[in-house]
Amino acid sequence: MSGEIHSVKLFGRKGSTEGYSLREFLQRHVVSFEWIEIASEETCLKNIGISDVNNVRFPVVQFADGSLLFNPSVRDVANRLGYIALPRLKEYDVSIYGAGPAGLSAAVYAASEGLSTVVIERHAVGGQAGTSSMIENYMGFPRGISGAELADRAREQALKFGAEIILMSEGIKGEFKNGRIHGQLADGSKMLAKANICATGVEYRRLELDREEHFLGKGVFYGAGVAEAPLCKGETIYIVGGANSAGQAAMHIANFAENVVMLVRGSSLKGTMSKYLSDRVTNNKKIDIRFNSEVTELIGDEFLSQIKITDNKNKEDENVDAKRLFVAIGGRPNTEWAIDTPILRDEAGYLVTGPDLLLNGKNPEGWPLQRQPYYLETSYPGSFAAGDVRHNSIKRAAAAAGEGAMAITFVYRYLNEDFDFIVKHTK
Ligand SMILES: Cc1cc2nc3c(=O)[nH]c(=O)nc-3n(C[C@H](O)[C@H](O)[C@H](O)COP(=O)(O)OP(=O)(O)OC[C@H]3O[C@@H](n4cnc5c(N)ncnc54)[C@H](O)[C@@H]3O)c2cc1C
């Protein structure tokens, strides 16, 4: 926007995957930025003072103080902006994995109740909700709020109460011994806590088409396209999906694009999209919906140029010109870390908790305590799950935030139990 002062400028080549990752990260952390495409020696000289455009390692990031980073990773930029921290304690009362609505809410409640609290997040705060252009059904925001802003407020609130949020850190395995969870992190370090909450949510499902990875950021994008939407001016944009995330993407992108085509596999939006949203989508003159349709091929050289759309009802294929395709088709749970642990997952990988663990009213096999698992407790005492990652969860931001808060009540109860007994009876 003209006249706006940006704290960060990004200079890069058209269709750069690295540029896309940086834009997405900055947008998620509500860092105002400007993306400037460098196409010639002149634009290169004018913007970064170097004319030899072929020898510049793009993307280049310029910070408010004028300093430049050449071809930095997302981690480098996060570090430079002060988002990367190391854990301060050797052991915490509760470790929370995932900083989506469930994890952030758990962090706010845990820290405000005086528990030493750490949140491990592998990417950016906000989770899926952080990618939403506008959340309109979250209580207290009658005019809606962008997911990134909601997440940023929750982050600030959790930090205010003393929670630590460790970004760019991924839990890859859990080990339970001596009444502690030993979380193994991707960088090789360990995170020790008396109780833990898995709030790792779900990850966007891919189309599983040939060359999909190649086209990432070069025409194929996942989610609501918040960071990309302003770049869609004058284009016809295709969106795959018929649920709320696809509807939000369509509404948001329609503000910029010439028109938007939604490709929906089912024959209606009923049952997959909230009524208020499907009404808006169908009434929006810029949005067309093609039902019974799916993308079956991605076509292009370096950049996406066409997609093949298969109409499953009429059994017809059509190739259409498409420079940008947004994929919003739900996700699969992030629970690989729980493989080879005593924690029970359902057939789709979601963590089973509380009453869902009982078989004919009896505790699950291997459960070591007299009491039944608490409502959000997994099949290992002291290890809880909240939000979308949980079997039978509601898949809404408010529900996830509610579960995060509720999980802390159970963590409290657990920490007040006979800990020596637990240590003795858990392997
Ligand atoms: C585009 C979009 C729009 C939406 N709009 C709405 C809406 O308007 N209203 C509504 O109610 N709901 C909406 N939803 C659904 C809502 O966002 C989710 O239900 C909610 O975000 C779930 O929260 P969560 O905390 O359980 O998980 P997530 O939001 O999925 O967050 C999980 C977090 O865990 C992190 N993580 C995963 N694995 C690991 C690991 N091993 N180690 C460390 N971190 C890890 C992820 O990076 C992520 O940040 C929308 C979803 C999408 C995708």
Side-chain angles (χ1 to χ4, degrees), residues 18 64 73 100 130 160 182 200 260 268 283 290 327 342 350 357 396 404 414-415 425 427:
E18 293 86 359
S73 62
K160 182 189 89 174
H182 299 244
T200 51
V260 171
S268 82
N283 288 331
R290 288 176 67 162
V327 181
Y350 290 91
L357 287 165
R396 289 283 183 275
Y414 169 77
L415 293 177
H425 289 85
K427 277 183 224 139

Side-chain angles (χ1 to χ4, degrees), residues 255-323:
N255 291 327
F256 301 88
E258 183 73 22
N259 61 316
V260 171
V261 182
M262 287 182 77
L263 303 170
V264 180
R265 205 155 54 165
S267 54
S268 82
L269 297 177
K270 247 194 202 145
T272 55
M273 194 181 289
S274 299
K275 172 91 171 60
Y276 82 89
L277 192 54
S278 66
D279 285 349
R280 278 186 214 173
V281 166
T282 40
N283 288 331
N284 190 315
K285 290 195 171 58
K286 277 186 160 184
I287 303 176
D288 292 327
I289 308 177
R290 288 176 67 162
F291 291 109
N292 307 302
S293 298
E294 56 186 307
V295 177
T296 47
E297 196 179 335
L298 304 170
I299 302 158
D301 297 324
E302 180 64 7
F303 300 105
L304 184 74
S305 58
Q306 285 195 325
I307 54 174
K308 179 185 279 179
I309 300 172
T310 300
D311 182 324
N312 290 324
K313 200 169 172 198
N314 302 320
K315 305 271 174 272
E316 278 169 6
D317 288 337
E318 184 191 358
N319 284 6
V320 296
D321 290 343
K323 281 199 210 147

